[in-house]
Amino acid sequence: MAEEHSVLVVEDDSALASMLKELLEGEGYDVVVAADGQRALHQGLTRDFDVMVMDRGLPGLEGLEVLERLRRKGISTPALVLSALGNPADRVEGLDRGAEDYMGKPFDLDELLARIRSLIRRHADTSAMLRIPGGVLDVGSRTATVDGTGRVVLSERECDFLEHLARRPQQVFTRAGLLESIFSDADEGGVVDTYVHYLRKKLGRSCIRTVRGLGYVLGPPG
Ligand code: CA
């Protein structure tokens, strides 16, 4: 059976929201509707959607503001802005502030569905879920979810480092090798240990294991 994709529809016009929900559910999507900016932010931060369809004029918090806040928290769920503000300057603003795609209202339903499919496809190519000790690393959204800690947002460098280890979970990496692969712009080797420290602080001590005299390896599973 095909995987069910989830869509967050952010729309304060209840008739349009119901129509979109029905349309998308008819296409097999799991749909959540948020009718204002605060609810949209809450949903976007707490649930993992495959795509967001985002109105701009919303009560509470403007749609692009919601998007910017989500991006700042490391949420990279692709967003299609669907707005009455449809002139070129509006579109440019939307794309610059974190949207992957933009459609003016009124819009064509088949085109909307095609663009949603395209966003999901493209996002799937760039994201990956990797096993890490006690949880998973979502490279696409740069978040790790670990038992007991919940969802943790990583910096770009922390994520690169952990991804590097998680892609070869049995391999011991030397400090020099890591320095070359991940921190080639750093001028001193201590940066490797600093990042090991950061990651252990965020994800627990066991996420990275020290192999004395050799280097580091992804921690034991479990
Ligand atoms: Ca609106």
Side-chain angles (χ1 to χ4, degrees):
M1 201 180 105
E3 182 196 349
E4 189 172 67
H5 293 293
S6 57
V7 183
L8 174 62
V9 172
V10 182
E11 178 57 67
D12 62 323
D13 175 336
S14 59
L16 178 55
S18 307
M19 188 274 271
L20 288 171
K21 184 170 161 66
E22 202 172 308
L23 173 77
L24 291 165
E25 284 177 348
E27 295 292 313
Y29 294 103
D30 181 17
V31 182
V32 172
V33 174
D36 64 57
Q38 290 298 344
R39 287 200 179 96
L41 192 59
H42 177 74
Q43 289 291 341
L45 288 173
T46 53
R47 287 193 48 173
D48 199 15
F49 294 96
D50 293 293
V51 72
M52 301 184 272
V53 176
M54 180 80 68
D55 184 22
R56 286 185 63 172
L58 294 167
L61 203 57
E62 211 259 355
L64 295 184
E65 179 67 29
V66 173
L67 206 49
E68 281 182 334
R69 293 196 191 187
L70 290 173
R71 297 301 184 236
R72 280 204 293 273
K73 295 279 186 187
I75 307 294
S76 65
T77 308
L80 183 155
V81 171
L82 190 58
S83 172
L85 300 169
N87 71 41
D90 296 322
R91 290 166 189 262
V92 167
E93 187 188 4
L95 297 172
D96 280 348
R97 291 176 66 185
E100 275 67 30
D101 200 357
Y102 199 110
M103 287 178 80
K105 291 176 184 167
F107 57 95
D108 182 83
L109 296 179
D110 287 328
E111 185 182 356
L112 176 70
L113 292 173
R115 289 190 186 210
I116 288 173
R117 287 194 298 272
S118 159
L119 281 176
I120 290 174
R121 244 184 353 252
R122 271 191 277 151
H123 190 67
D125 292 341
T126 56
S127 65
M129 302 288 270
L130 297 169
R131 294 288 306 165
I132 55 172
V136 291
L137 170 67
D138 181 344
V139 176
S141 68
R142 257 191 247 141
T143 54
T145 310
V146 176
D147 296 342
T149 315
R151 188 180 168 110
V152 178
V153 177
L154 303 177
S155 72
E156 187 171 2
R157 200 52 78 83
E158 288 167 349
C159 186
D160 286 350
F161 190 174
L162 193 56
E163 181 186 0
H164 195 74
L165 299 186
R167 288 202 180 278
R168 301 159 202 85
Q170 309 296 327
Q171 188 176 331
V172 177
F173 293 91
T174 63
R175 205 175 267 103
L178 288 166
L179 197 61
E180 195 184 320
S181 314
I182 315 284
F183 303 98
S184 53
D185 55 339
D187 45 13
E188 49 103 17
V191 68
V192 173
D193 307 85
T194 303
Y195 274 86
V196 168
H197 173 75
Y198 288 160
L199 285 164
R200 282 175 173 166
K201 213 168 159 191
K202 285 190 173 179
L203 302 172
R205 279 208 62 76
S206 64
C207 75
I208 296 174
R209 195 156 56 85
T210 305
V211 182
R212 280 183 73 107
L214 286 175
Y216 295 108
V217 61
L218 192 71

